[in-house]
């Protein structure tokens, strides 16, 4: 019986530059074996179809449909890692190796170890290959092999380090060496269909084809001025590639290569700025890998006992986008509507929760995890700890974002605010950042009565700024 080489897809739903597919196909070609594609429905994720999971599961479906076009099947297995991979070994002939792309979150490492232990009992290898990173967590270290704790020196070495080449697999070869088409587990297929039926969003741009199209558009139309436009939420000035990187429908190496070519031109500030953002992505993955406790604890140990507020009413209003601060509310409503938020707004809304409300960054990080279609645990945790002044390279605790000043600076005419907070659409520019200052007659003219159509500011920013600074001073700085 021919041996089978399994590709276990997790967050790499693409054919281009997929090291796991490339490795399995090479083995099958050399040994005249078969390849098989599987996706494991982990029980920790099957009960939630909020925006983040909705987008992810529909991406899996899109990839399964693309597989069918080349006469290949993405098999679904489910249950605990042990249950799923025990079943796989029972239903599939002789499995030689299961290949997967490396992932470094605490959850992924624990899951992979459980699968490794399960497969070892069946004398099957679990082989990891390069994941969706430019440089993996152990590749960029200090001379003494210790991890960096600060971005700037890390980025210098990251930029200098040699980059890996892309790998390609011919779809015709994939089809020719593909093994079983009949479902490995019909019950798991039904479970996945039920999950998809619970997904209610209509994502127009999803999957590898959309990802490649977006990359091409970004390189041609946005990259050269990226350094000017990336902070303006109303402009289409960011890459919007992060959802594709999260699901792996786009290889980050493809992104880097496409951007790096533009460094050779005269106007290279945009490409330089963008490439440094890719370095940040690897940096945060490195931090979480070397310091896994930071998934739940502050990177800066002196701030691990801060007396966070627990006002659930405030938290609810923040989530709904009903704080009375237009730029904060616009950001949260954008998140709730489309599962994505401009990075500047992620900073503003996170700063507001942790500083103006003095609420635990973990609450916000978890909520973002439920909503963001580009949710990356390492980057999200790093970003929240940055905004909360408790992480690596964190903004100093005494720097508290003023939501009004941020609004005036990055959405000067209120276009972004009006898009996501429609009750303010007729408010004059003069008052768009602080609508509570409108006189009564202007409120009537704008059909926006403060306290009725749109809330009063829920807190006094100046007072909350003082409280936030005091919290850090009293319980962090004096330790």
């Amino acid at each position: 019986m021919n041996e089978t080489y399994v590709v276990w897809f997790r967050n790499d739903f693409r054919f281009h530059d997929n090291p796991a597919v490339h490795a399995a196909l090479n083995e099958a070609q050399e040994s005249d074996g078969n390849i098989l594609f599987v996706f494991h429905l982990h029980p920790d994720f099957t009960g939630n179809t909020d925006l983040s999971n909705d987008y992810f599961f529909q991406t899996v479906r899109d990839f399964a449909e693309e597989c069918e076009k080349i006469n290949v099947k993405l098999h679904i297995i489910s249950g605990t890692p042990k249950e799923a991979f025990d079943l796989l070994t029972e239903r599939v002939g002789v499995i030689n190796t299961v290949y997967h792309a490396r992932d470094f979150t605490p959850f992924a490492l624990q899951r992979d170890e459980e699968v490794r232990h399960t497969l070892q009992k069946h004398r099957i290898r679990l082989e990891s290959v390069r994941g969706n990173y430019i440089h993996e967590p152990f590749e960029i270290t200090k001379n003494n092999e210790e991890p960096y704790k600060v971005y700037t020196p890390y980025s210098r070495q990251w930029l200098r380090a040699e980059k890996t080449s892309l790998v390609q697999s011919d779809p015709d070869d994939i089809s020719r060496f593909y093994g079983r088409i009949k479902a490995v587990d019909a019950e798991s297929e039904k479970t996945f269909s039920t999950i998809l039926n619970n997904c209610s969003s209509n994502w127009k741009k999803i999957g590898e084809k959309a990802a490649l199209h977006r990359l091409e558009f970004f390189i041609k139309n946005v990259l050269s001025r990226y350094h000017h436009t990336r902070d303006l939420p109303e402009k289409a000035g960011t890459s919007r590639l992060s959802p594709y990187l999260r699901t792996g429908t786009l290889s980050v190496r493809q992104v880097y290569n496409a951007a790096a070519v533009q460094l050779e031109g005269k106007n290279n500030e945009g490409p330089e700025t963008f490439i440094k953002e890719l370095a940040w992505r690897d940096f945060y993955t490195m931090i979480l890998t070397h310091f896994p406790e930071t998934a739940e604890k502050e990177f800066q140990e002196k701030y691990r006992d801060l007396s966070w507020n627990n006002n659930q009413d405030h938290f609810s209003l923040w989530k709904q986008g009903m704080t009375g601060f237009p730029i904060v509310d616009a950001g949260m409503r954008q998140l709730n509507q489309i599962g994505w938020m401009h990075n500047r707004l992620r900073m503003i809304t996170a700063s507001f929760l942790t500083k103006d409300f003095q609420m635990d960054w973990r609450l916000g990080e978890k909520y973002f995890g439920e909503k963001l279609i580009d949710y990356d645990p390492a980057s999200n945790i790093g970003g929240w700890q940055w905004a909360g002044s408790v992480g690596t390279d964190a903004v100093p605790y005494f720097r508290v974002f003023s939501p009004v000043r941020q609004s005036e600076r990055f959405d000067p005419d209120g276009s972004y605010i009006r898009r996501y907070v429609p009750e303010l659409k007729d408010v004059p520019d003069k008052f768009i950042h602080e609508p509570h200052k409108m006189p009564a007659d202007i409120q009537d003219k704008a059909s926006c009565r403060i306290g009725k159509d749109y809330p009063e500011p829920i807190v006094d920013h100046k007072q909350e700024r003082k409280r936030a600074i005091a919290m850090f001073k009293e319980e962090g700085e004096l330790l």
Side-chain angles (χ1 to χ4, degrees):
M1 184 177 293
N2 293 345
E3 290 187 315
T4 297
Y5 300 87
V6 175
V7 181
W8 172 18
F9 288 86
R10 297 115 68 89
N11 52 6
D12 52 345
F13 300 101
R14 66 184 186 277
F15 293 112
H16 292 85
D17 189 37
N18 191 318
V21 173
H22 187 258
L25 182 58
N26 281 350
E27 288 277 15
Q29 289 172 322
E30 290 178 7
S31 64
D32 196 26
N34 298 318
I35 58 174
L36 195 78
F37 292 173
V38 302
F39 171 68
H40 172 219
L41 274 175
H42 196 289
D44 282 8
F45 299 98
T46 54
N48 178 3
T49 51
D50 210 333
L51 289 172
S52 183
N53 283 353
D54 184 308
Y55 181 86
F56 183 86
F57 287 132
Q58 291 200 48
T59 296
V60 177
R61 174 170 60 187
D62 177 87
F63 181 69
E65 292 170 353
E66 292 300 312
C67 286
E68 291 176 3
K69 292 177 182 178
I70 61 169
N71 298 316
V72 166
K73 180 174 178 60
L74 178 66
H75 293 277
I76 308 296
I77 55 177
S78 62
T80 66
K82 182 180 185 306
E83 291 169 343
F85 283 88
D86 272 340
L87 180 144
L88 183 69
T89 60
E90 288 174 14
R91 303 283 175 87
V92 178
V94 180
I95 298 176
N96 181 293
T97 308
V98 174
Y99 288 95
H100 70 87
R102 283 189 286 275
D103 198 358
F104 298 96
T105 65
F107 167 84
L109 293 172
Q110 181 177 343
R111 174 201 58 197
D112 295 353
E113 190 55 36
E114 187 175 347
V115 172
R116 183 182 304 281
H117 183 70
T118 300
L119 293 177
Q120 280 177 343
K121 292 182 178 180
H122 299 279
R123 297 182 180 180
I124 297 171
R125 288 191 305 151
L126 180 65
E127 193 73 27
S128 69
V129 298
R130 178 169 288 276
N132 206 14
Y133 309 94
I134 303 296
H135 290 293
E136 294 189 337
F138 296 94
E139 292 179 356
I140 305 295
T141 59
K142 298 178 183 178
N143 291 335
N144 61 4
E145 297 188 355
E146 289 185 359
Y148 285 100
K149 297 181 180 180
V150 178
Y151 169 77
T152 301
Y154 170 89
S155 67
R156 290 195 193 104
Q157 187 177 343
W158 186 97
L159 289 166
R160 290 194 301 265
E162 184 177 353
K163 306 298 184 279
T164 56
S165 301
L166 305 184
V167 298
Q168 297 298 343
S169 303
D170 189 324
D172 290 339
D173 288 339
I174 293 173
S175 179
R176 185 162 60 253
F177 284 89
Y178 201 80
R180 173 176 178 150
I181 297 297
K182 181 181 178 182
V184 167
D185 183 26
E187 285 304 311
S188 292
E189 304 275 348
K190 290 179 183 177
T191 300
F192 186 49
S193 294
T194 300
I195 291 171
L196 289 172
N197 288 335
N198 291 331
C199 294
S200 57
S201 297
N202 181 24
W203 307 105
K204 293 182 174 63
K205 298 176 181 178
I206 201 167
E208 185 174 17
K209 289 182 179 179
L212 293 171
H213 178 76
R214 178 62 200 179
L215 175 60
E216 182 181 7
F217 178 87
F218 171 66
I219 297 297
K220 288 183 177 179
N221 301 289
V222 182
L223 182 60
S224 63
R225 63 181 191 277
Y226 177 80
H227 55 300
H228 289 308
T229 61
R230 66 184 179 128
D231 271 327
L232 303 174
E234 182 57 19
K235 304 289 184 183
T238 59
S239 73
R240 297 296 290 263
L241 295 173
S242 53
Y244 304 120
L245 292 178
R246 179 263 179 123
T247 54
T249 53
L250 187 63
S251 156
V252 72
R253 291 174 290 275
Q254 290 173 291
V255 176
Y256 174 87
N257 285 2
V261 170
Q262 305 302 313
L263 290 172
E264 300 169 5
K266 292 181 180 179
N267 183 12
N268 60 12
E269 194 171 350
E272 283 181 353
T273 302
F274 176 70
I275 285 172
K276 287 177 181 177
E277 294 298 320
L278 299 179
W280 269 110
R281 182 174 178 269
D282 285 356
F283 174 75
Y284 278 139
T285 298
M286 181 274 297
I287 289 294
L288 186 58
T289 302
H290 287 280
F291 307 97
E293 70 278 8
T294 59
E296 294 291 339
K297 296 180 180 180
E298 292 78 359
F299 183 84
Q300 296 189 36
E301 294 184 23
K302 63 183 177 181
Y303 293 141
R304 289 184 179 175
D305 294 310
L306 292 172
S307 299
W308 298 107
N309 195 345
N310 191 33
N311 189 322
Q312 290 300 308
D313 290 337
H314 280 188
F315 186 48
S316 178
L317 292 170
W318 176 81
K319 290 192 292 186
Q320 295 172 50
M322 292 293 289
T323 67
F325 290 86
I327 194 69
V328 174
D329 295 339
M332 294 306 297
R333 294 189 197 187
Q334 181 184 29
L335 174 67
N336 293 332
Q337 287 177 32
I338 67 172
W340 185 86
M341 191 196 297
H342 190 283
N343 192 55
R344 172 57 55 175
L345 271 298
R346 299 186 197 204
M347 298 180 194
I348 293 171
T349 55
S351 175
F352 190 86
L353 185 71
T354 56
K355 301 294 178 60
D356 285 81
F357 283 174
Q358 297 108 52
M359 295 195 73
D360 196 327
W361 63 271
R362 283 163 281 252
L363 295 173
E365 196 280 329
K366 182 176 184 295
Y367 187 70
F368 273 25
E370 295 168 357
K371 297 292 183 182
L372 286 171
I373 63 174
D374 64 356
Y375 179 65
D376 175 89
S379 293
N380 200 51
I381 290 167
W384 270 94
Q385 291 202 21
W386 179 90
S389 300
V390 297
T392 177
D393 285 87
V395 61
Y397 73 86
F398 50 81
R399 279 186 55 201
V400 179
F401 282 16
S402 163
V404 173
R405 177 69 186 108
Q406 292 285 311
S407 184
E408 292 171 341
R409 183 178 176 189
F410 297 109
D411 188 30
D413 64 0
S415 298
Y416 175 77
I417 289 170
R418 290 186 176 91
R419 179 188 297 191
Y420 289 103
V421 189
E423 55 266 48
L424 300 178
K425 65 183 176 63
D426 295 322
V427 169
D429 289 359
K430 180 180 179 180
F431 298 105
I432 191 64
H433 308 292
E434 297 180 281
H436 66 284
K437 291 186 176 180
M438 282 190 295
D441 61 326
I442 297 181
Q443 291 185 37
D444 290 337
K445 190 175 180 180
S447 300
C448 182
R449 288 161 292 279
I450 301 303
K452 180 181 178 183
D453 300 309
Y454 184 72
E456 291 267 5
I458 194 170
V459 292
D460 181 326
H461 171 71
K462 291 182 179 178
Q463 291 299 320
E464 298 308 323
R465 176 182 179 276
K466 293 177 182 177
R467 288 193 179 98
I469 292 172
M471 177 178 74
F472 279 85
K473 276 187 174 180
E474 291 170 6
E475 302 195 33
E477 289 299 287
L478 299 181
L479 294 180

